Amino acid sequence: MKKSLSIGLSFLAIVLFMPASLVNAEKFDWYFNVPVDNTDHRSFTVSKDNLFLQMSIEVYEGGPINIFILDNNTFTAWNFGNGEVVSAYLGGTNISEGSKITIEGYLGTADVMRTDFTTIIIDENTTVVNSTVTNLGVREYILVVDNRDGNAGASVDVSILTTVDMPTILTTLSALVFITVIAANRRRRKKSPFEDTKTR
């Protein structure tokens, strides 16, 4: 019993101290070929709150480029504002040819809302409309590769790994530790009282 308990707790301890970036939730890989004085973008959807994100960027040729992540509203403002600088979740600037970098950060809380309407007809002169707002817990983000400052067309690989945030990991693993201890205690109670009796 002690052996199985120690093995279980050792495993949990190893997982507990793993970086959040190793707990994979979703992964996205894109290749961009962006002409000079142009931009390109890809959208992606995540479904976790306060999502931790790790973004790897490799510029094979061209650039330097700027790269950043926006939400839908900010992307619309950026797009209609002729690509003027806006507040991004995370990104990097002046990434030159031959560079390979990693950027990490959090996307924030998902807040996409859906409103459902229910119409109730009381009589021919009275109609009541009720609305219900639901937080879908899903948000769409847009990754933008900006080569307007570049000297040549840019070839860029981008890999995004989204992961569950560390508080969620710690909560889950704490629950697993608790379950392991309870299971070990139940096994000990079922143990035969004669198992440890020494024969002479």
Side-chain angles (χ1 to χ4, degrees):
M1 186 275 298
K2 287 182 180 179
K3 184 177 180 183
S4 62
L5 176 60
S6 63
I7 291 172
L9 290 177
S10 298
F11 171 74
L12 289 172
I14 291 170
V15 178
L16 189 64
F17 291 104
M18 285 170 58
S21 57
L22 295 181
V23 186
N24 186 3
E26 296 172 86
K27 188 160 189 253
F28 306 91
D29 289 294
W30 297 293
Y31 176 77
F32 292 88
N33 194 351
V34 188
V36 68
D37 203 30
N38 279 271
T39 66
D40 198 358
H41 65 275
R42 301 283 189 279
S43 63
F44 62 101
T45 302
V46 297
S47 55
K48 301 284 185 183
D49 283 351
N50 294 318
L51 210 68
F52 178 83
L53 181 146
Q54 184 181 77
M55 179 167 59
S56 299
I57 304 151
E58 185 168 7
V59 181
Y60 291 106
E61 60 182 357
I65 63 158
N66 302 321
I67 193 163
F68 42 90
I69 292 177
L70 307 173
D71 58 31
N72 264 322
N73 292 336
T74 313
F75 177 75
T76 301
W78 175 82
N79 212 16
F80 282 97
N82 296 318
E84 293 179 7
V85 176
V86 294
S87 177
Y89 283 89
L90 67 158
T93 59
N94 201 32
I95 307 170
S96 58
E97 181 176 354
S99 296
K100 186 174 184 179
I101 66 171
T102 299
I103 299 170
E104 297 181 344
Y106 283 90
L107 289 179
T109 304
D111 62 356
V112 174
M113 312 300 286
R114 183 186 70 205
T115 304
D116 298 311
F117 296 95
T118 305
T119 303
I120 303 171
I121 299 174
I122 306 298
D123 54 46
E124 60 181 26
N125 297 318
T126 309
T127 301
V128 177
V129 178
N130 296 322
S131 63
T132 304
V133 178
T134 306
N135 189 332
L136 301 179
V138 175
R139 177 181 269 171
E140 185 178 26
Y141 296 88
I142 294 91
L143 171 75
V144 177
V145 177
D146 186 342
N147 192 29
R148 289 175 301 161
D149 296 332
N151 302 313
S155 298
V156 186
D157 260 342
V158 181
S159 176
I160 292 180
L161 177 69
T162 62
T163 66
V164 179
D165 60 301
M166 186 56 79
T168 301
I169 297 168
L170 294 177
T171 301
T172 303
L173 291 176
S174 297
L176 288 173
V177 169
F178 178 75
I179 291 168
T180 303
V181 171
I182 293 297
N185 285 338
R186 290 184 72 184
R187 264 178 115 183
R188 186 174 59 190
R189 282 195 214 111
K190 290 181 180 179
K191 193 174 178 182
S192 169
F194 303 104
E195 192 173 314
D196 293 329
T197 303
K198 293 182 180 178
T199 55
R200 297 185 181 182

